[in-house]
Amino acid sequence: KPSFERFGEEAGIRFKFFETKLGEDTAELARGCEGVCIFVNDTADAAVIDKLADLGVQMIALRCAGYNNVDIRHAYGKIHIVHVPAYSPYAVAEHAMAMLLTSIRRVHKAYIRTRDFNFSLNGLTGFDLHGKTVGVVGTGRIGRTFIDICRGFGMEIIAYDKYPADGAGIDYVQLDELFRRADIISLHCPLTPDTHHMINSDAIDAMRRGVVIVNTSRGALID
């Protein structure tokens, strides 16, 4: 809020802040506004876009890079859509590695246990990342940064992307092979009709027992 208010004042823009998510039932809150600013859990489907347009809203600004929650085609000619071009790829990739390390080394469980003065290592030993195979799904800026981090851990890297990065020195395989071979799977792809529930029962049946899945993309990639 302080950032919006500071820069809004400089630009002559006044903001209203609502805790509720945007949807067909809450679109009326935008009455009297020229634009709405939404995040990943808000909905801007055809019905919402029509309501906003009727209210005189001229722009939907997303505070995120992904726009799977916006009906772009329906908005054409009615409301302008803008989004964040990219996050810091290092911030997201490093967070993915932090979650992976927390998971395999049971850091979260160890923290809780030691707060109770229980220093037993039982169930907390985890496993080494060195030599393990990581399958990276999506090799955009974030995915490639995560790959660089994994290389530093001495991991074997395989990847899948519908549009491979030429000349990146990445070992691309088909998705079913990635599911079969990977000890760790990290998701770095947008949510589209093709990627919706890409991790389903068939995919999990094909995976190794004990595989770790890290998802810093959209939740609906996983069923």
Short mmCIF file of all heavy atoms in Angstrom, two decimals, residues 28-64:
data_model
loop_
_atom_site.label_atom_id
_atom_site.label_comp_id
_atom_site.label_asym_id
_atom_site.label_seq_id
_atom_site.Cartn_x
_atom_site.Cartn_y
_atom_site.Cartn_z
N GLU A 28 -18.77 -4.86 -8.82
CA GLU A 28 -19.48 -3.61 -8.56
C GLU A 28 -18.65 -2.66 -7.70
O GLU A 28 -18.84 -1.43 -7.74
CB GLU A 28 -20.82 -3.92 -7.86
CG GLU A 28 -21.68 -2.72 -7.56
CD GLU A 28 -22.20 -2.02 -8.80
OE1 GLU A 28 -22.37 -2.70 -9.84
OE2 GLU A 28 -22.44 -0.78 -8.72
N LEU A 29 -17.68 -3.20 -6.93
CA LEU A 29 -16.82 -2.36 -6.10
C LEU A 29 -15.98 -1.40 -6.94
O LEU A 29 -15.46 -0.42 -6.41
CB LEU A 29 -15.89 -3.24 -5.25
CG LEU A 29 -16.56 -4.09 -4.15
CD1 LEU A 29 -15.56 -5.06 -3.55
CD2 LEU A 29 -17.14 -3.17 -3.08
N ALA A 30 -15.84 -1.68 -8.23
CA ALA A 30 -15.04 -0.83 -9.10
C ALA A 30 -15.83 0.35 -9.66
O ALA A 30 -15.28 1.13 -10.45
CB ALA A 30 -14.47 -1.66 -10.25
N ARG A 31 -17.07 0.49 -9.24
CA ARG A 31 -17.87 1.62 -9.73
C ARG A 31 -17.19 2.94 -9.38
O ARG A 31 -16.75 3.15 -8.25
CB ARG A 31 -19.27 1.59 -9.12
CG ARG A 31 -20.19 2.71 -9.60
CD ARG A 31 -21.60 2.57 -9.03
NE ARG A 31 -22.27 1.38 -9.54
CZ ARG A 31 -22.90 1.33 -10.72
NH1 ARG A 31 -22.94 2.40 -11.50
NH2 ARG A 31 -23.48 0.21 -11.10
N GLY A 32 -17.07 3.81 -10.36
CA GLY A 32 -16.41 5.10 -10.16
C GLY A 32 -14.91 5.06 -10.38
O GLY A 32 -14.25 6.11 -10.31
N CYS A 33 -14.37 3.89 -10.66
CA CYS A 33 -12.93 3.76 -10.90
C CYS A 33 -12.66 3.63 -12.39
O CYS A 33 -13.47 3.11 -13.15
CB CYS A 33 -12.37 2.54 -10.17
SG CYS A 33 -12.52 2.60 -8.37
N GLU A 34 -11.49 4.10 -12.79
CA GLU A 34 -11.10 4.00 -14.21
C GLU A 34 -10.24 2.77 -14.48
O GLU A 34 -10.03 2.39 -15.64
CB GLU A 34 -10.34 5.26 -14.61
CG GLU A 34 -11.22 6.51 -14.56
CD GLU A 34 -10.40 7.77 -14.74
OE1 GLU A 34 -9.72 8.18 -13.78
OE2 GLU A 34 -10.46 8.35 -15.85
N GLY A 35 -9.71 2.16 -13.42
CA GLY A 35 -8.90 0.97 -13.60
C GLY A 35 -8.99 0.09 -12.37
O GLY A 35 -9.37 0.54 -11.29
N VAL A 36 -8.67 -1.20 -12.53
CA VAL A 36 -8.59 -2.12 -11.41
C VAL A 36 -7.23 -2.81 -11.46
O VAL A 36 -6.68 -3.07 -12.54
CB VAL A 36 -9.72 -3.17 -11.40
CG1 VAL A 36 -11.08 -2.50 -11.23
CG2 VAL A 36 -9.70 -4.02 -12.65
N CYS A 37 -6.67 -3.11 -10.30
CA CYS A 37 -5.37 -3.76 -10.19
C CYS A 37 -5.58 -5.08 -9.46
O CYS A 37 -6.07 -5.10 -8.33
CB CYS A 37 -4.39 -2.87 -9.43
SG CYS A 37 -2.71 -3.50 -9.38
N ILE A 38 -5.25 -6.20 -10.14
CA ILE A 38 -5.60 -7.52 -9.61
C ILE A 38 -4.35 -8.40 -9.48
O ILE A 38 -3.27 -8.07 -9.99
CB ILE A 38 -6.65 -8.22 -10.49
CG1 ILE A 38 -6.08 -8.54 -11.88
CG2 ILE A 38 -7.90 -7.35 -10.60
CD1 ILE A 38 -7.04 -9.35 -12.75
N PHE A 39 -4.55 -9.54 -8.78
CA PHE A 39 -3.45 -10.48 -8.56
C PHE A 39 -3.87 -11.87 -9.03
O PHE A 39 -4.92 -12.04 -9.65
CB PHE A 39 -3.04 -10.46 -7.07
CG PHE A 39 -1.69 -11.05 -6.81
CD1 PHE A 39 -0.58 -10.68 -7.55
CD2 PHE A 39 -1.52 -11.98 -5.79
CE1 PHE A 39 0.66 -11.22 -7.30
CE2 PHE A 39 -0.28 -12.52 -5.52
CZ PHE A 39 0.82 -12.15 -6.27
N VAL A 40 -3.11 -12.89 -8.68
CA VAL A 40 -3.27 -14.22 -9.28
C VAL A 40 -4.59 -14.90 -8.91
O VAL A 40 -5.10 -15.73 -9.67
CB VAL A 40 -2.09 -15.14 -8.92
CG1 VAL A 40 -0.80 -14.61 -9.52
CG2 VAL A 40 -1.94 -15.27 -7.40
N ASN A 41 -5.15 -14.59 -7.74
CA ASN A 41 -6.38 -15.26 -7.32
C ASN A 41 -7.65 -14.51 -7.67
O ASN A 41 -8.74 -14.95 -7.33
CB ASN A 41 -6.33 -15.51 -5.80
CG ASN A 41 -5.26 -16.51 -5.42
OD1 ASN A 41 -5.09 -17.51 -6.11
ND2 ASN A 41 -4.55 -16.25 -4.34
N ASP A 42 -7.49 -13.37 -8.34
CA ASP A 42 -8.67 -12.64 -8.83
C ASP A 42 -9.13 -13.24 -10.16
O ASP A 42 -8.34 -13.88 -10.86
CB ASP A 42 -8.33 -11.17 -9.02
CG ASP A 42 -8.02 -10.47 -7.70
OD1 ASP A 42 -8.93 -10.36 -6.88
OD2 ASP A 42 -6.86 -10.07 -7.51
N THR A 43 -10.39 -13.01 -10.49
CA THR A 43 -10.96 -13.55 -11.73
C THR A 43 -11.40 -12.40 -12.63
O THR A 43 -12.12 -11.51 -12.20
CB THR A 43 -12.17 -14.45 -11.43
OG1 THR A 43 -11.75 -15.54 -10.61
CG2 THR A 43 -12.78 -14.98 -12.72
N ALA A 44 -10.92 -12.45 -13.87
CA ALA A 44 -11.35 -11.46 -14.87
C ALA A 44 -11.79 -12.22 -16.12
O ALA A 44 -11.18 -12.12 -17.19
CB ALA A 44 -10.23 -10.48 -15.18
N ASP A 45 -12.85 -13.00 -15.96
CA ASP A 45 -13.39 -13.75 -17.09
C ASP A 45 -14.32 -12.85 -17.90
O ASP A 45 -14.44 -11.65 -17.63
CB ASP A 45 -14.10 -15.02 -16.62
CG ASP A 45 -15.21 -14.75 -15.61
OD1 ASP A 45 -15.64 -13.58 -15.49
OD2 ASP A 45 -15.66 -15.70 -14.93
N ALA A 46 -15.01 -13.42 -18.87
CA ALA A 46 -15.85 -12.63 -19.76
C ALA A 46 -16.93 -11.87 -19.00
O ALA A 46 -17.18 -10.68 -19.27
CB ALA A 46 -16.48 -13.54 -20.81
N ALA A 47 -17.57 -12.51 -18.04
CA ALA A 47 -18.65 -11.86 -17.29
C ALA A 47 -18.13 -10.68 -16.49
O ALA A 47 -18.76 -9.61 -16.44
CB ALA A 47 -19.32 -12.88 -16.36
N VAL A 48 -16.94 -10.84 -15.86
CA VAL A 48 -16.35 -9.76 -15.07
C VAL A 48 -15.93 -8.61 -15.97
O VAL A 48 -16.15 -7.43 -15.66
CB VAL A 48 -15.16 -10.28 -14.25
CG1 VAL A 48 -14.41 -9.12 -13.59
CG2 VAL A 48 -15.63 -11.27 -13.20
N ILE A 49 -15.32 -8.94 -17.11
CA ILE A 49 -14.88 -7.91 -18.04
C ILE A 49 -16.06 -7.09 -18.54
O ILE A 49 -16.00 -5.85 -18.62
CB ILE A 49 -14.10 -8.55 -19.21
CG1 ILE A 49 -12.73 -9.02 -18.71
CG2 ILE A 49 -13.94 -7.57 -20.37
CD1 ILE A 49 -11.99 -9.91 -19.68
N ASP A 50 -17.17 -7.75 -18.85
CA ASP A 50 -18.36 -7.03 -19.31
C ASP A 50 -18.89 -6.09 -18.22
O ASP A 50 -19.28 -4.95 -18.50
CB ASP A 50 -19.45 -8.03 -19.72
CG ASP A 50 -19.15 -8.70 -21.05
OD1 ASP A 50 -18.32 -8.15 -21.81
OD2 ASP A 50 -19.74 -9.76 -21.32
N LYS A 51 -18.89 -6.56 -16.98
CA LYS A 51 -19.37 -5.72 -15.88
C LYS A 51 -18.46 -4.51 -15.69
O LYS A 51 -18.94 -3.39 -15.50
CB LYS A 51 -19.44 -6.55 -14.59
CG LYS A 51 -20.67 -7.41 -14.47
CD LYS A 51 -20.88 -7.87 -13.04
CE LYS A 51 -22.22 -8.56 -12.89
NZ LYS A 51 -22.52 -8.91 -11.48
N LEU A 52 -17.15 -4.76 -15.73
CA LEU A 52 -16.20 -3.65 -15.55
C LEU A 52 -16.33 -2.64 -16.67
O LEU A 52 -16.30 -1.42 -16.44
CB LEU A 52 -14.77 -4.19 -15.47
CG LEU A 52 -14.43 -5.05 -14.25
CD1 LEU A 52 -13.00 -5.58 -14.37
CD2 LEU A 52 -14.59 -4.26 -12.95
N ALA A 53 -16.48 -3.13 -17.88
CA ALA A 53 -16.61 -2.23 -19.02
C ALA A 53 -17.89 -1.38 -18.89
O ALA A 53 -17.88 -0.18 -19.18
CB ALA A 53 -16.63 -3.02 -20.33
N ASP A 54 -18.97 -1.99 -18.43
CA ASP A 54 -20.22 -1.26 -18.23
C ASP A 54 -20.06 -0.18 -17.15
O ASP A 54 -20.75 0.85 -17.21
CB ASP A 54 -21.33 -2.22 -17.83
CG ASP A 54 -21.77 -3.13 -18.99
OD1 ASP A 54 -21.45 -2.78 -20.15
OD2 ASP A 54 -22.39 -4.16 -18.73
N LEU A 55 -19.17 -0.43 -16.20
CA LEU A 55 -18.93 0.54 -15.12
C LEU A 55 -17.98 1.65 -15.53
O LEU A 55 -17.71 2.56 -14.75
CB LEU A 55 -18.37 -0.18 -13.89
CG LEU A 55 -19.32 -1.14 -13.16
CD1 LEU A 55 -18.56 -1.93 -12.10
CD2 LEU A 55 -20.47 -0.37 -12.53
N GLY A 56 -17.43 1.55 -16.75
CA GLY A 56 -16.51 2.57 -17.24
C GLY A 56 -15.05 2.30 -16.94
O GLY A 56 -14.20 3.18 -17.14
N VAL A 57 -14.73 1.11 -16.46
CA VAL A 57 -13.33 0.75 -16.21
C VAL A 57 -12.62 0.61 -17.54
O VAL A 57 -13.10 -0.05 -18.46
CB VAL A 57 -13.24 -0.56 -15.41
CG1 VAL A 57 -11.79 -1.02 -15.28
CG2 VAL A 57 -13.87 -0.38 -14.03
N GLN A 58 -11.44 1.21 -17.64
CA GLN A 58 -10.70 1.24 -18.91
C GLN A 58 -9.47 0.34 -18.91
O GLN A 58 -8.92 0.06 -19.97
CB GLN A 58 -10.27 2.68 -19.22
CG GLN A 58 -11.42 3.66 -19.32
CD GLN A 58 -10.96 5.10 -19.36
OE1 GLN A 58 -9.86 5.39 -19.83
NE2 GLN A 58 -11.78 6.01 -18.83
N MET A 59 -9.02 -0.08 -17.73
CA MET A 59 -7.79 -0.86 -17.68
C MET A 59 -7.83 -1.87 -16.54
O MET A 59 -8.33 -1.58 -15.46
CB MET A 59 -6.57 0.05 -17.50
CG MET A 59 -5.26 -0.70 -17.30
SD MET A 59 -3.82 0.38 -17.14
CE MET A 59 -3.64 0.90 -18.85
N ILE A 60 -7.29 -3.06 -16.81
CA ILE A 60 -7.01 -4.06 -15.78
C ILE A 60 -5.49 -4.21 -15.71
O ILE A 60 -4.86 -4.59 -16.70
CB ILE A 60 -7.67 -5.42 -16.09
CG1 ILE A 60 -9.19 -5.28 -16.13
CG2 ILE A 60 -7.24 -6.47 -15.08
CD1 ILE A 60 -9.91 -6.56 -16.55
N ALA A 61 -4.93 -3.90 -14.56
CA ALA A 61 -3.48 -4.01 -14.37
C ALA A 61 -3.19 -5.18 -13.44
O ALA A 61 -3.70 -5.23 -12.31
CB ALA A 61 -2.92 -2.71 -13.78
N LEU A 62 -2.39 -6.14 -13.91
CA LEU A 62 -2.06 -7.32 -13.11
C LEU A 62 -0.76 -7.08 -12.36
O LEU A 62 0.22 -6.60 -12.94
CB LEU A 62 -1.93 -8.55 -13.99
CG LEU A 62 -3.22 -9.13 -14.56
CD1 LEU A 62 -3.56 -8.49 -15.89
CD2 LEU A 62 -3.12 -10.63 -14.71
N ARG A 63 -0.73 -7.45 -11.08
CA ARG A 63 0.48 -7.38 -10.27
C ARG A 63 1.27 -8.68 -10.38
O ARG A 63 1.88 -9.13 -9.42
CB ARG A 63 0.14 -7.11 -8.80
CG ARG A 63 -0.68 -5.85 -8.58
CD ARG A 63 -0.78 -5.47 -7.10
NE ARG A 63 -1.33 -6.51 -6.26
CZ ARG A 63 -2.64 -6.75 -6.11
NH1 ARG A 63 -3.52 -6.03 -6.80
NH2 ARG A 63 -3.05 -7.71 -5.30
N CYS A 64 1.24 -9.30 -11.53
CA CYS A 64 1.90 -10.59 -11.73
C CYS A 64 2.23 -10.73 -13.22
O CYS A 64 1.74 -9.97 -14.05
CB CYS A 64 1.00 -11.74 -11.28
SG CYS A 64 -0.68 -11.65 -11.92
#
